[in-house]
Each structure stands twice: as C-alpha cells, then as structure tokens.
C-alpha cells in the first residue's frame, strides 16, 4: 500500500501544483533541469525553461500557448511516472519510455510528437489526457 492508504491497484497521479511545491521529493529529475533536456522536440523558448518553470506555465493563444499548457501537464506526468518509493511507484498510468497501464503510449515520445504536430487541437487533447491522469489523487 502507498502512504495515505492508496492501493497499489489504483492509478494515482499528483498535480503540477503538488510537484511545484514539493521539489524535495522529485526523483531522477531536478527543478533546474531544462524542459529541452527531456522533451527534445520542445521549441524555443520552451526548451530553455526549467522543469520548475514548466510546472508554472500558464497558457494562451496559438500554438505557443497550447505548448505551455501541454508542458505543464507533461512535466507533472514525467515526475509522476518517475516516482518510486519503498512501497512502490504511484502506479501512474503513463510510463516515460514504455507502454503504460491501459495501453497508454510512452509519455516522452508522445509529448514530443504532439509538440511537433503543429496542431493546437492535438496538443490540447494530449494536455487534457495528461491533466486527467495528474488528477487521479496524490498519495504523497
């Protein structure tokens, strides 16, 4: 069982605000690491932002605003997918490099594909899917 009483069988995920406020529990990534070091298709100026800045992203019009929205959700998803503790991982539905639970595609390559799609709709649809997973309940 996970801390907070969550079952390992339940999917879990923590929000961007949780990760923004709890940088000391990050694993495998650091707040000052750049978005571009993980999501290699992130264009300027997004690629130069830190992961912490990505969590603080807002949104806005056009493709750039959609990319901000996606990168906020994707950064939280990255941290959810990389979190492990003595009781096991969060059982986040997405995995970083492999197919996840329920057949979710690999997170990083899926985000990179959406970022380069040029389609605001595609980018926002993926952001919504990741946001839903990030809001499954945080047992930390």
């Amino acid at each position: 069982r996970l801390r907070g009483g969550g079952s390992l069988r339940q999917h879990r995920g923590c929000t961007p605000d949780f990760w923004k406020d709890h940088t000391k529990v990050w694993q495998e990534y650091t707040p000052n690491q750049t978005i571009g070091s993980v999501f290699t298709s992130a264009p300027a100026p997004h690629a130069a932002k830190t992961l912490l800045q990505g969590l603080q992203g807002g949104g806005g019009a056009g493709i750039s605003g959609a990319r901000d929205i996606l990168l906020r959700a994707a950064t939280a998803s990255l941290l959810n997918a990389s979190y492990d503790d003595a009781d096991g991982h969060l059982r986040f539905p997405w995995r970083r490099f492999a197919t996840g639970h329920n057949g979710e595609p690999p997170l990083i390559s899926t985000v990179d594909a959406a970022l380069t799609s040029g389609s605001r709709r595609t980018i926002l649809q993926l952001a919504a899917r990741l946001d839903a997973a990030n809001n499954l309940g945080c047992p930390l």
Side-chain angles (χ1 to χ4, degrees):
R1 295 181 64 83
L2 294 171
R3 284 178 275 164
S7 166
L8 285 175
R9 296 177 188 253
Q10 294 176 299
H11 292 302
R12 298 288 187 191
C14 300
T15 66
D17 285 340
F18 171 84
W19 292 112
K20 181 177 65 176
D21 295 338
H22 296 89
T23 58
K24 291 188 190 289
V25 299
W26 289 25
Q27 296 179 352
E28 298 186 42
Y29 301 95
T30 64
N32 291 327
Q33 189 171 347
T34 65
I35 287 172
S37 72
V38 178
F39 301 108
T40 57
S41 294
H46 308 284
K49 291 181 181 178
T50 67
L51 292 176
L52 183 59
Q53 288 170 326
L55 291 171
Q56 298 165 344
I63 295 294
S64 184
R67 287 179 176 140
D68 278 338
I69 293 167
L70 174 57
L71 288 168
R72 182 173 196 261
T75 300
S77 293
L78 177 77
L79 297 170
N80 283 319
S82 67
Y83 187 84
D84 286 298
D85 68 14
D87 297 326
H89 62 80
L90 290 176
R91 195 157 171 83
F92 189 66
W94 294 75
R95 305 306 322 145
R96 291 172 293 161
F97 308 108
T99 300
H101 303 283
N102 301 325
E104 295 292 1
L107 174 69
I108 293 173
S109 61
T110 302
V111 170
D112 278 337
L115 290 170
T116 60
S117 72
S119 167
R120 181 174 167 85
R121 181 174 183 225
T122 297
I123 293 167
L124 293 177
Q125 285 177 337
L126 178 57
R129 287 176 60 198
L130 295 177
D131 186 58
N134 292 336
N135 281 280
L136 288 172
C138 186
L140 305 177

